Amino acid sequence: MLIWFVVIYLLLSIGIGLYAATRVHNTKDFAVAGRSLPLPVVTATVFATWFGAEAVFGVSATFVREGLRGVVADPFGASLCLVIAGIFYGTRLYRLNVLTLGDFFRMRFNHTVEVLTTVCIVASYLGWVSAQIKALGLVFHVVTDGAVPQTAGMILGAAIVLTYTTFGGMLSVAILDFVQMGVVMGGMLYIGYLVSAMTGGVAAVLDQAASAGRLDFFPGGTATEWLGFIGAWVTMMLGSIPQQDVFQRVTSAKSARVAIQASILGAGLYFCFTFIPMFIAYSATLIDPARFNGLIESDSQLVLPTLVLEHTPVVAQAIFFGAVLSAIMSCSSATLLAPSVAFSENIVRSHFPELGDHAFLRIMRLTLVGFTVLVLGFALNSEASIFKMVENAYKVTLAGAFVPLFFGAYWKRATTQGALTAILGGLASWLLIEVLVEEPPVPAQLIGLGVSLLGMIAGSCLPQRFGRPTPRVDSHATLHHHAAALTHHSEAPHRHPH
């Protein structure tokens, strides 16, 4: 019954996604759903930004081992990121009417900055999307009681998500997010209710967690512990802002006001609901301490699915795994789409300036297929945990893309030379420390962020030796002029190279 439920659910999801694809007519529909989505749908898709593999399996597994201190990046940093990103994109970038973050970097600076930041953004998705694919393999393996190996499950999961995302783009993602988030919320609340009955209530679980030190949030007194804590928080909170999938989800709203409201609502829902998998997973240590404490030591990611399979009825299992599949598929579809759109728009398109919109839409879809194959290969060969794959994904964008994005939007004196210095300096310092220092006293990504910040200020204030000088005028008026030109080109048969 459980396997058939999963099969039927997957077929329905593919059907909904393919139906949405019939409404995709151009690149704007494919990339940002035609900027037509209402508040409930945008809220659901913002909520789905991270409520996937890491929220269900990764965060819960980390919590049972390390407590709240171990999950400072997610959900604490992740939720704040959605609020900051929503306000930032809604007030600064929405009105520019661009498809990608790379478009903003090109208009504000130049094509070189556009390419470098796009490479950073695309590279960051390797670990993130691989975590979703890895989780799909885990679900298929557990649901079939080992009949489907995890590697085969990864391939199957990638193929399913690729099918509807390739045809429907952001519109399929948004519609499925809206449907699937209802399943996720209902399913998680139901399982939480069943588990609380087995443990004597929520208070009993919280008391046990508190006595075990799992509810301690702030680190001890040493500077190294505090720097690691801050590094994990900042990496997710700020490093996730220059992300194409966050940008696409927010700017798919029908207005800037809806974009901001949906981001705040989605962030609040995400923060609250991420604690439910944590509660369920930790409850396992009260229900069967010997069994699950041993599992925590061997593979803590299996605690949650094993609890559901061994201690709940079949109906509850079907609801749980339906909810899990909903969460992972919602998350993985958008995170496959985002880097593919960014790479196509900001790197490939400059080489084919005469290409029409429909022909370019085909290139976007082909890029999506190619990126999926690359991500699948990475997932099959990676031994990192789901939580670590996600946490590490945003170090590159924190070091290389965050400073140019925010200074480009808020500082009129930011120049192309400053942006290039920030990108190259931030990335170089971060990579050198990651490679050469085994356990740095200060997290490498924080050093990269600091160097990037200094590079932007110094590079913009010193005499301009390289890069196109950026006029010291109202940058937003200039951006609006460029955005109008970009919109004209996106609607014309081709776009001139920059």
Side-chain angles (χ1 to χ4, degrees):
M1 179 180 171
L2 178 60
I3 294 173
W4 276 111
F5 176 86
V6 170
V7 170
I8 293 169
Y9 181 81
L10 291 173
L11 291 174
L12 284 173
S13 296
I14 293 172
I16 294 171
L18 293 179
Y19 171 75
T22 61
R23 299 176 59 185
V24 174
H25 305 295
N26 52 48
T27 53
K28 189 174 181 181
D29 289 341
F30 189 79
V32 290
R35 287 196 160 191
S36 60
L37 302 181
L39 179 64
V41 178
V42 182
T43 300
T45 197
V46 168
F47 170 78
T49 303
W50 286 306
F51 203 89
E54 77 293 346
V56 178
F57 295 131
V59 173
S60 62
T62 303
F63 175 75
V64 295
R65 291 195 319 270
E66 304 174 27
L68 285 181
R69 194 175 298 157
V71 296
V72 61
D74 192 1
F76 293 93
S79 302
L80 283 173
C81 167
L82 292 176
V83 173
I84 297 169
I87 295 171
F88 172 63
Y89 291 140
T91 57
R92 292 285 169 169
L93 267 63
Y94 184 91
R95 55 189 173 177
L96 297 181
N97 197 30
V98 293
L99 293 181
T100 67
L101 287 171
D103 290 339
F104 167 79
F105 286 116
R106 182 184 63 253
M107 292 188 299
R108 182 63 176 87
F109 301 111
N110 67 3
H111 179 61
T112 304
V113 175
E114 172 191 16
V115 171
L116 289 174
T117 51
T118 299
V119 170
C120 289
I121 292 168
V122 171
S124 72
Y125 278 97
L126 272 176
W128 172 259
V129 189
S130 296
Q132 314 309 313
I133 301 300
K134 198 167 187 176
L136 284 171
L138 177 66
V139 170
F140 289 131
H141 178 71
V142 171
V143 165
T144 59
D145 197 22
V148 175
Q150 288 197 38
T151 53
M154 290 183 203
I155 296 170
L156 177 61
I160 291 169
V161 174
L162 176 64
T163 299
Y164 67 78
T165 309
T166 301
F167 290 101
M170 191 62 201
L171 195 57
S172 287
V173 170
I175 292 174
L176 277 170
D177 283 350
F178 184 68
V179 174
Q180 291 169 335
M181 286 311 101
V183 178
V184 168
M185 291 179 179
M188 287 296 168
L189 287 171
Y190 178 62
I191 297 298
Y193 168 76
L194 290 180
V195 168
S196 66
M198 302 178 201
T199 58
V202 175
V205 177
L206 293 178
D207 289 343
Q208 174 64 27
S211 62
R214 294 296 188 271
L215 300 186
D216 296 338
F217 182 64
F218 293 105
T222 68
T224 302
E225 288 177 324
W226 271 99
L227 285 170
F229 178 83
I230 294 169
W233 196 335
V234 169
T235 299
M236 195 74 175
M237 181 174 62
L238 300 184
S240 305
I241 293 174
Q243 287 293 322
Q244 180 63 23
D245 70 309
V246 178
F247 173 78
Q248 284 178 209
R249 290 176 188 273
V250 173
T251 56
S252 64
K254 65 181 182 180
S255 69
R257 183 177 181 181
V258 168
I260 296 170
Q261 290 174 341
S263 298
I264 296 171
L265 288 172
L269 286 173
Y270 176 79
F271 183 79
C272 294
F273 270 85
T274 307
F275 283 94
I276 298 177
M278 286 191 250
F279 168 79
I280 297 170
Y282 194 77
S283 297
T285 61
L286 279 69
I287 294 171
D288 190 345
R291 169 82 166 112
F292 289 104
N293 285 329
L295 203 57
I296 289 169
E297 296 298 324
S298 59
D299 189 352
S300 56
Q301 293 174 159
L302 289 173
V303 169
L304 190 56
T306 302
L307 170 67
V308 173
L309 281 174
E310 294 182 358
H311 294 275
T312 63
V314 175
V315 173
Q317 295 171 24
I319 292 172
F320 172 78
F321 284 105
V324 169
L325 284 172
S326 294
I328 298 172
M329 288 169 64
S330 295
C331 196
S332 55
S333 56
T335 48
L336 277 174
L337 178 67
S340 305
V341 169
F343 184 82
S344 303
E345 172 73 9
N346 302 116
I347 296 179
V348 175
R349 190 161 200 169
S350 62
H351 298 288
F352 301 97
E354 304 298 323
L355 207 60
D357 190 76
H358 288 288
F360 187 65
L361 180 57
R362 287 195 294 271
I363 285 183
M364 277 189 175
R365 285 170 167 156
L366 288 172
T367 304
L368 179 62
V369 174
F371 188 74
T372 303
V373 172
L374 179 65
V375 164
L376 180 59
F378 187 83
L380 291 171
N381 292 284
S382 175
E383 296 182 0
S385 70
I386 291 170
F387 187 82
K388 281 298 176 186
M389 290 173 80
V390 170
E391 189 178 32
N392 292 334
Y394 299 113
K395 293 179 179 180
V396 60
T397 44
L398 180 67
F402 174 77
V403 169
L405 178 64
F406 265 71
F407 273 71
Y410 289 107
W411 194 34
K412 295 178 183 179
R413 296 184 63 185
T415 66
T416 299
Q417 178 174 282
L420 290 171
T421 307
I423 296 166
L424 297 175
L427 289 176
S429 57
W430 164 64
L431 285 171
L432 281 173
I433 294 169
E434 284 279 5
V435 172
L436 299 179
V437 184
E438 188 172 344
E439 291 185 8
V442 179
Q445 68 272 23
L446 284 187
I447 294 176
L449 176 64
V451 172
S452 181
L453 179 64
L454 292 174
M456 172 59 82
I457 296 171
S460 297
C461 293
L462 292 173
Q464 302 302 293
R465 301 293 184 184
F466 61 90
R468 184 187 71 201
T470 304
R472 293 186 179 181
V473 296
D474 184 356
S475 59
H476 300 297
T478 305
L479 286 176
H480 281 299
H481 173 74
H482 286 304
L486 178 65
T487 303
H488 170 74
H489 286 309
S490 68
E491 293 170 352
H494 63 274
R495 189 179 83 175
H496 296 295
H498 293 266

